[in-house]
Protein backbone atom coordinates (compact mmCIF):
# COMPACT_ATOMS: atom_id res chain seq x y z
CA UNK A 1 0.00 0.00 0.00
CA UNK A 2 1.11 3.53 -0.71
CA UNK A 3 1.04 6.18 2.02
CA UNK A 4 1.82 9.87 2.20
CA UNK A 5 2.30 11.24 5.72
CA UNK A 6 2.18 14.96 6.34
CA UNK A 7 4.86 15.71 8.93
CA UNK A 8 2.87 16.98 11.92
CA UNK A 9 5.65 16.09 14.40
CA UNK A 10 6.10 18.39 17.37
CA UNK A 11 8.50 18.77 20.28
CA UNK A 12 6.28 16.40 22.25
CA UNK A 13 5.54 13.76 19.61
CA UNK A 14 7.29 12.11 16.66
CA UNK A 15 4.25 10.07 15.67
CA UNK A 16 4.44 10.75 11.91
CA UNK A 17 8.14 9.84 11.97
CA UNK A 18 7.65 6.47 13.61
CA UNK A 19 4.65 5.76 11.37
CA UNK A 20 6.88 6.42 8.36
CA UNK A 21 9.71 4.24 9.66
CA UNK A 22 7.39 1.38 10.66
CA UNK A 23 5.33 1.39 7.45
CA UNK A 24 8.54 1.00 5.46
CA UNK A 25 9.67 -1.75 7.84
CA UNK A 26 6.37 -3.51 7.11
CA UNK A 27 7.07 -3.25 3.36
CA UNK A 28 4.62 -0.48 2.55
CA UNK A 29 5.51 2.41 0.26
CA UNK A 30 5.59 5.57 2.38
CA UNK A 31 6.66 9.18 1.89
CA UNK A 32 7.00 11.72 4.70
CA UNK A 33 6.56 15.31 3.53
CA UNK A 34 5.52 18.65 4.93
CA UNK A 35 2.56 19.62 2.77
CA UNK A 36 2.60 23.13 4.19
CA UNK A 37 6.09 23.73 2.76
CA UNK A 38 5.69 22.40 -0.77
CA UNK A 39 3.35 22.31 -3.71
CA UNK A 40 0.56 19.95 -2.69
CA UNK A 41 -0.34 19.24 -6.31
CA UNK A 42 3.26 18.39 -7.25
CA UNK A 43 3.75 16.21 -4.17
CA UNK A 44 0.58 14.21 -4.69
CA UNK A 45 1.10 13.86 -8.43
CA UNK A 46 4.62 12.55 -7.81
CA UNK A 47 3.86 10.24 -4.87
CA UNK A 48 0.39 9.18 -6.03
CA UNK A 49 -0.69 7.84 -2.60
CA UNK A 50 -3.63 5.62 -1.77
CA UNK A 51 -3.78 7.02 1.76
CA UNK A 52 -2.84 10.32 3.36
CA UNK A 53 -2.17 10.49 7.11
CA UNK A 54 -2.55 14.06 8.33
CA UNK A 55 -3.41 16.04 11.44
CA UNK A 56 -6.76 17.82 11.57
CA UNK A 57 -4.84 20.99 12.46
CA UNK A 58 -2.90 20.88 9.16
CA UNK A 59 -5.70 20.21 6.68
CA UNK A 60 -5.69 23.09 4.19
CA UNK A 61 -7.43 24.28 1.07
CA UNK A 62 -4.78 23.10 -1.43
CA UNK A 63 -5.21 19.50 -0.29
CA UNK A 64 -8.99 19.81 -0.49
CA UNK A 65 -8.69 21.29 -3.99
CA UNK A 66 -6.48 18.43 -5.14
CA UNK A 67 -8.88 15.79 -3.80
CA UNK A 68 -11.83 17.52 -5.45
CA UNK A 69 -10.06 17.78 -8.80
CA UNK A 70 -8.85 14.17 -8.76
CA UNK A 71 -11.79 12.06 -7.54
CA UNK A 72 -10.74 9.14 -9.76
CA UNK A 73 -7.66 8.62 -7.55
CA UNK A 74 -9.96 7.72 -4.63
CA UNK A 75 -7.42 8.88 -2.03
CA UNK A 76 -8.43 8.02 1.54
CA UNK A 77 -7.72 10.35 4.46
CA UNK A 78 -6.59 8.99 7.84
CA UNK A 79 -7.05 11.85 10.27
CA UNK A 80 -5.19 12.50 13.51
CA UNK A 81 -7.58 14.40 15.78
CA UNK A 82 -5.42 14.99 18.86
CA UNK A 83 -5.75 18.36 20.60
CA UNK A 84 -9.00 19.35 18.93
CA UNK A 85 -12.31 19.91 20.67
CA UNK A 86 -15.34 17.79 19.82
CA UNK A 87 -17.13 20.90 18.59
CA UNK A 88 -14.30 21.92 16.25
CA UNK A 89 -13.94 18.35 15.03
CA UNK A 90 -17.65 18.14 14.24
CA UNK A 91 -17.36 21.34 12.20
CA UNK A 92 -14.28 20.10 10.34
CA UNK A 93 -15.81 16.74 9.50
CA UNK A 94 -19.02 18.37 8.26
CA UNK A 95 -16.97 20.75 6.11
CA UNK A 96 -14.90 17.90 4.65
CA UNK A 97 -18.05 15.91 3.95
CA UNK A 98 -19.56 18.88 2.13
CA UNK A 99 -16.38 19.07 0.05
CA UNK A 100 -16.65 15.35 -0.80
CA UNK A 101 -13.40 14.55 1.04
CA UNK A 102 -13.33 10.88 2.03
CA UNK A 103 -12.07 10.41 5.62
CA UNK A 104 -11.53 6.68 6.14
CA UNK A 105 -11.23 6.95 9.92
CA UNK A 106 -9.87 9.22 12.64
CA UNK A 107 -7.48 8.35 15.46
CA UNK A 108 -6.55 9.99 18.75
CA UNK A 109 -4.82 9.46 22.09
CA UNK A 110 -7.77 11.19 23.79
CA UNK A 111 -9.75 8.33 25.30
CA UNK A 112 -12.61 10.64 26.32
CA UNK A 113 -13.49 11.21 22.67
CA UNK A 114 -16.51 9.19 21.43
CA UNK A 115 -15.95 5.95 19.52
CA UNK A 116 -17.84 7.32 16.54
CA UNK A 117 -18.67 10.78 15.23
CA UNK A 118 -21.59 10.43 12.87
CA UNK A 119 -20.58 7.47 10.71
CA UNK A 120 -16.85 8.03 11.26
CA UNK A 121 -14.97 5.57 13.47
CA UNK A 122 -12.52 7.07 15.95
CA UNK A 123 -9.61 4.79 16.81
CA UNK A 124 -8.18 5.26 20.32
CA UNK A 125 -4.43 4.82 20.37
CA UNK A 126 -1.90 5.64 23.08
CA UNK A 127 1.32 7.47 22.28
CA UNK A 128 4.34 5.24 21.69
CA UNK A 129 8.02 5.28 22.47
CA UNK A 130 10.09 6.09 19.40
CA UNK A 131 13.21 3.90 19.49
CA UNK A 132 14.47 4.81 16.02
CA UNK A 133 17.83 6.54 15.54
CA UNK A 134 18.47 7.58 19.14
CA UNK A 135 21.24 10.16 19.12
CA UNK A 136 24.33 9.39 21.14
CA UNK A 137 25.86 12.26 23.11
CA UNK A 138 29.57 13.00 22.96
CA UNK A 139 29.67 13.34 26.75
CA UNK A 140 28.14 11.71 29.80
CA UNK A 141 27.34 13.15 33.20
CA UNK A 142 25.61 12.03 36.36
CA UNK A 143 22.88 14.14 37.95
CA UNK A 144 20.45 12.96 40.61
CA UNK A 145 17.24 14.15 38.99
CA UNK A 146 15.73 15.44 35.75
CA UNK A 147 12.52 17.30 36.57
CA UNK A 148 10.34 17.58 33.46
CA UNK A 149 7.85 20.45 33.38
CA UNK A 150 5.22 21.83 31.02
CA UNK A 151 4.98 25.11 32.91
CA UNK A 152 6.79 26.99 35.66
CA UNK A 153 4.48 28.50 38.26
CA UNK A 154 7.12 28.65 41.01
CA UNK A 155 10.80 28.01 41.59
CA UNK A 156 11.84 24.37 41.80
CA UNK A 157 14.23 23.35 44.54
CA UNK A 158 15.64 20.07 45.78
CA UNK A 159 18.28 18.92 48.22
CA UNK A 160 19.94 16.86 45.49
CA UNK A 161 21.44 17.89 42.15
CA UNK A 162 18.88 18.35 39.38
CA UNK A 163 18.14 19.77 35.96
CA UNK A 164 14.81 21.31 35.04
CA UNK A 165 13.88 20.00 31.60
CA UNK A 166 11.07 20.85 29.17
CA UNK A 167 9.96 20.22 25.62
CA UNK A 168 8.06 23.53 25.62
CA UNK A 169 9.87 26.13 23.51
CA UNK A 170 8.28 28.98 25.45
CA UNK A 171 10.26 27.83 28.52
CA UNK A 172 13.63 27.87 26.75
CA UNK A 173 15.01 30.74 28.86
CA UNK A 174 13.54 29.43 32.11
CA UNK A 175 14.79 25.83 32.29
CA UNK A 176 18.17 24.13 32.20
CA UNK A 177 17.44 21.99 29.14
CA UNK A 178 14.78 22.72 26.53
CA UNK A 179 14.63 20.25 23.69
CA UNK A 180 12.33 18.09 21.59
CA UNK A 181 11.47 14.65 22.93
CA UNK A 182 13.47 13.02 20.15
CA UNK A 183 16.69 14.62 21.49
CA UNK A 184 15.97 13.98 25.17
CA UNK A 185 16.00 10.20 24.66
CA UNK A 186 19.80 10.08 24.74
CA UNK A 187 20.00 12.11 27.97
CA UNK A 188 17.71 10.17 30.32
CA UNK A 189 20.41 7.63 31.20
CA UNK A 190 22.43 10.42 32.84
CA UNK A 191 19.89 10.84 35.66
CA UNK A 192 19.20 8.55 38.60
CA UNK A 193 15.57 9.65 38.50
CA UNK A 194 13.34 11.36 35.95
CA UNK A 195 10.37 13.10 37.55
CA UNK A 196 7.49 14.41 35.45
CA UNK A 197 5.67 17.24 37.21
CA UNK A 198 1.87 17.44 37.05
CA UNK A 199 1.52 14.60 34.56
CA UNK A 200 -2.03 14.44 33.19
CA UNK A 201 -1.81 11.48 30.81
CA UNK A 202 0.49 8.95 29.22
CA UNK A 203 2.86 10.72 26.83
CA UNK A 204 5.67 9.81 24.48
CA UNK A 205 8.09 11.57 26.85
CA UNK A 206 6.93 9.37 29.74
CA UNK A 207 7.36 6.12 27.77
CA UNK A 208 10.74 7.11 26.35
CA UNK A 209 12.06 8.21 29.74
CA UNK A 210 11.24 4.77 31.15
CA UNK A 211 12.66 2.92 28.15
CA UNK A 212 15.92 4.89 28.03
CA UNK A 213 16.35 6.01 31.63
CA UNK A 214 16.66 4.53 35.08
CA UNK A 215 13.76 5.36 37.41
CA UNK A 216 10.81 7.45 36.22
CA UNK A 217 7.96 8.89 38.30
CA UNK A 218 5.16 11.42 38.12
CA UNK A 219 4.85 14.10 40.79
CA UNK A 220 1.35 15.60 40.90
CA UNK A 221 0.04 18.13 43.39
CA UNK A 222 -3.08 16.06 44.01
CA UNK A 223 -3.33 12.30 44.37
CA UNK A 224 -4.49 10.93 41.03
CA UNK A 225 -5.91 7.44 41.47
CA UNK A 226 -7.20 7.37 37.89
CA UNK A 227 -3.71 7.98 36.52
CA UNK A 228 -2.29 5.23 38.74
CA UNK A 229 -4.95 2.79 37.52
CA UNK A 230 -4.35 3.78 33.90
CA UNK A 231 -0.62 3.12 34.22
CA UNK A 232 -1.20 -0.30 35.79
CA UNK A 233 -3.76 -1.20 33.13
CA UNK A 234 -1.48 -0.15 30.29
CA UNK A 235 1.50 -2.14 31.49
CA UNK A 236 -0.55 -5.00 33.02
CA UNK A 237 1.66 -4.69 36.10
CA UNK A 238 1.17 -3.83 39.76
CA UNK A 239 3.44 -0.81 39.97
CA UNK A 240 3.53 2.52 41.79
CA UNK A 241 5.13 5.42 39.91
CA UNK A 242 3.86 8.15 42.22
CA UNK A 243 6.98 9.97 43.39
CA UNK A 244 5.47 10.84 46.77
CA UNK A 245 4.58 7.21 47.53
CA UNK A 246 6.51 5.41 50.25
CA UNK A 247 6.24 2.17 48.26
CA UNK A 248 7.10 3.47 44.81
CA UNK A 249 8.55 1.06 42.28
CA UNK A 250 12.34 0.87 42.09
CA UNK A 251 12.86 -1.99 39.62
CA UNK A 252 11.82 -0.97 36.10
CA UNK A 253 12.92 -4.08 34.20
CA UNK A 254 9.38 -5.42 33.70
CA UNK A 255 8.08 -1.99 32.65
CA UNK A 256 10.86 -1.60 30.09
CA UNK A 257 10.03 -5.07 28.75
CA UNK A 258 6.33 -4.17 28.47
CA UNK A 259 7.16 -1.01 26.49
CA UNK A 260 9.54 -2.90 24.19
CA UNK A 261 6.93 -5.56 23.49
CA UNK A 262 3.74 -3.49 23.21
CA UNK A 263 4.32 0.26 23.20
CA UNK A 264 6.75 1.11 20.40
CA UNK A 265 5.99 2.93 17.18
CA UNK A 266 5.78 -0.37 15.32
CA UNK A 267 2.96 -1.52 17.62
CA UNK A 268 0.95 1.65 16.98
CA UNK A 269 1.52 1.40 13.24
CA UNK A 270 0.15 -2.14 13.24
CA UNK A 271 -2.89 -0.88 15.16
CA UNK A 272 -3.40 1.81 12.51
CA UNK A 273 -3.11 -0.72 9.70
CA UNK A 274 -5.63 -3.01 11.39
CA UNK A 275 -8.30 -0.46 10.41
CA UNK A 276 -7.47 -0.72 6.69
CA UNK A 277 -8.99 -3.60 4.76
CA UNK A 278 -6.33 -5.72 3.14
CA UNK A 279 -3.39 -4.06 4.92
Amino acid sequence: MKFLIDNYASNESTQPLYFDHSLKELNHDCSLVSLGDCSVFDALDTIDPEFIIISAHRFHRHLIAYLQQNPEKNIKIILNVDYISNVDLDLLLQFLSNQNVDVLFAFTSNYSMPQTIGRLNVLKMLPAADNNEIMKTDFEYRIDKAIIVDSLTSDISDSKSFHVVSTRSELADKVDICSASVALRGLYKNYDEVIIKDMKQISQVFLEAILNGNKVYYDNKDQDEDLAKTINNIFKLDIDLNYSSKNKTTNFDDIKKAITEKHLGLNRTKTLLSQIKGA
Side-chain angles (χ1 to χ4, degrees), residues 212-253:
N212 298 289
N214 297 301
K215 301 174 184 178
V216 180
Y217 304 102
Y218 63 88
D219 184 16
N220 293 359
K221 294 176 183 177
D222 301 317
Q223 293 293 329
D224 194 334
E225 294 183 3
D226 288 341
L227 179 59
K229 290 178 182 177
T230 297
I231 290 172
N232 283 354
N233 288 337
I234 287 170
F235 295 128
K236 302 295 188 289
L237 296 168
D238 184 14
I239 52 180
D240 186 351
L241 302 187
N242 184 346
Y243 187 65
S244 63
S245 174
K246 294 179 180 180
N247 300 310
K248 59 181 174 285
T249 298
T250 56
N251 187 326
F252 281 73
D253 290 345

Side-chain angles (χ1 to χ4, degrees), residues 88-190:
D88 287 342
L89 180 56
D90 284 339
L91 292 172
L92 174 62
L93 293 176
Q94 185 60 54
F95 174 74
L96 293 177
S97 176
N98 292 340
Q99 302 301 315
N100 295 317
V101 173
D102 187 2
V103 180
L104 183 61
F105 65 91
F107 65 97
T108 181
S109 60
N110 179 6
Y111 276 65
S112 67
M113 192 169 281
Q115 297 283 358
T116 59
I117 300 175
R119 296 182 178 180
L120 184 72
N121 289 330
V122 180
L123 173 67
K124 309 295 178 60
M125 189 164 58
L126 286 169
D130 186 345
N131 64 336
N132 302 312
E133 301 178 5
I134 297 177
M135 294 181 290
K136 294 182 179 179
T137 56
D138 295 330
F139 58 92
E140 292 188 1
Y141 54 88
R142 178 55 57 185
I143 299 290
D144 291 316
K145 299 178 182 179
I147 302 174
I148 299 179
V149 300
D150 281 340
S151 62
L152 278 179
T153 55
S154 60
D155 291 336
I156 295 176
S157 61
D158 198 281
S159 59
K160 296 184 177 181
S161 60
F162 67 93
H163 283 155
V164 180
V165 180
S166 184
T167 58
R168 303 285 184 173
S169 56
E170 64 269 22
L171 298 181
D173 60 347
K174 298 180 176 67
V175 298
D176 299 305
I177 299 174
C178 182
S179 185
S181 62
V182 68
L184 292 177
R185 297 174 302 174
L187 301 181
Y188 293 129
K189 66 181 185 297
N190 298 318

